[in-house]
Amino acid sequence: MDGIDKITARISADSQREADELLAQAQAQADSVKREYADRAARESADILERGRKAAAERVERMAGVAQLEGRKAVLAAQQALIARAFDRALEQLCTLPQEKYTALLSQLAVKAARSGKEALIFSKADRSRYGKAVVIAANEALEKAGRTASLTLSQETRPLRGGFIIAEGKVETNCAFETLVRLQREGLSRQVAGVLFES
């Protein structure tokens, strides 16, 4: 029995040693896999964090750009509103000139706008009764003095104008309404007005 016990003990010891070696190898492999996955997880985590930081920085940059653009738009809108107010104020001042200056301005406009000197001047209802006759007389005098035909007439027709007039001969009309003249001037002068209003 001693021989069998020895053989059994040796087999048992060999088996235990093999089991211990296999267990040690398995543990080493498990530790290696664990380290490999831990390293990979750390790298991926760092990559994810870096991508997140870059995405956040890009988003902040985009948002700052959008905010800057919106700020510029708001400033531009405010400037445009101020320019519009300046031209509205100019129109208001033209429409409220004292009678003598208003009549003189309209007669000068009529002289410049007259082509044949035989046109009719169309005013607003209020301006026709207050200034129409005086403007036509003054314009005809100026045309005559310049050696041009001086047969401008006061039209019976009226138009809804804030100020100024329309000069017409047949179907041809020239719009000398203040609102039209100011609008046309605005297109050409807006940059200069902006320079005056917003010069630093």
Side-chain angles (χ1 to χ4, degrees):
M1 287 280 227
D2 275 341
I4 291 179
D5 285 340
K6 282 184 182 179
I7 291 172
T8 307
R10 193 180 323 150
I11 290 172
S12 179
D14 287 347
S15 294
Q16 185 62 46
R17 194 177 58 251
E18 280 181 40
D20 288 344
E21 284 175 10
L22 284 173
L23 202 60
Q25 285 176 357
Q27 186 61 48
Q29 281 181 338
D31 289 346
S32 174
V33 168
K34 192 175 175 183
R35 278 192 306 275
E36 184 181 323
Y37 278 98
D39 290 348
R40 189 186 301 171
R43 284 193 308 273
E44 287 180 9
S45 175
D47 286 348
I48 289 169
L49 282 172
E50 185 57 31
R51 285 196 306 267
R53 273 196 279 278
K54 283 181 182 174
E58 287 171 7
R59 183 176 169 99
V60 165
E61 195 174 316
R62 274 195 311 271
M63 290 172 74
V66 167
Q68 195 173 27
L69 182 63
E70 290 301 318
R72 274 192 241 134
K73 279 187 193 175
V75 167
L76 184 60
Q79 287 177 341
Q80 291 297 328
L82 287 172
I83 290 170
R85 201 171 346 172
F87 280 99
D88 288 346
R89 181 76 179 114
L91 176 59
E92 188 61 37
Q93 286 179 342
L94 281 172
C95 292
T96 56
L97 282 171
Q99 183 170 348
E100 189 177 299
K101 288 184 178 181
Y102 193 79
T103 304
L105 176 61
L106 291 182
S107 63
Q108 288 170 10
L109 273 175
V111 169
K112 285 182 184 175
R115 293 176 196 253
S116 68
K118 298 175 185 178
E119 295 91 346
L121 300 183
I122 305 168
F123 291 90
S124 69
K125 191 172 185 177
D127 278 3
R128 184 182 187 285
S129 61
R130 287 204 334 245
Y131 309 110
K133 197 176 278 188
V135 170
V136 169
I137 291 169
N140 278 329
E141 286 173 0
L143 286 169
E144 194 174 328
K145 197 182 254 185
R148 295 172 58 193
T149 302
S151 299
L152 297 178
T153 58
L154 179 60
S155 175
Q156 293 299 314
E157 180 185 357
T158 60
R159 300 268 178 94
L161 309 172
R162 285 185 63 187
F165 56 86
I166 293 172
I167 188 166
E169 184 173 26
K171 293 186 179 186
V172 178
E173 294 185 349
T174 302
N175 192 335
C176 296
F178 286 164
E179 50 265 52
T180 302
L181 297 175
V182 168
R183 181 177 46 81
L184 292 172
Q185 288 299 311
R186 180 178 176 172
E187 291 169 10
L189 294 176
S190 284
R191 187 175 295 236
Q192 289 173 309
V193 171
V196 170
L197 289 176
F198 310 116
E199 224 172 43
S200 315

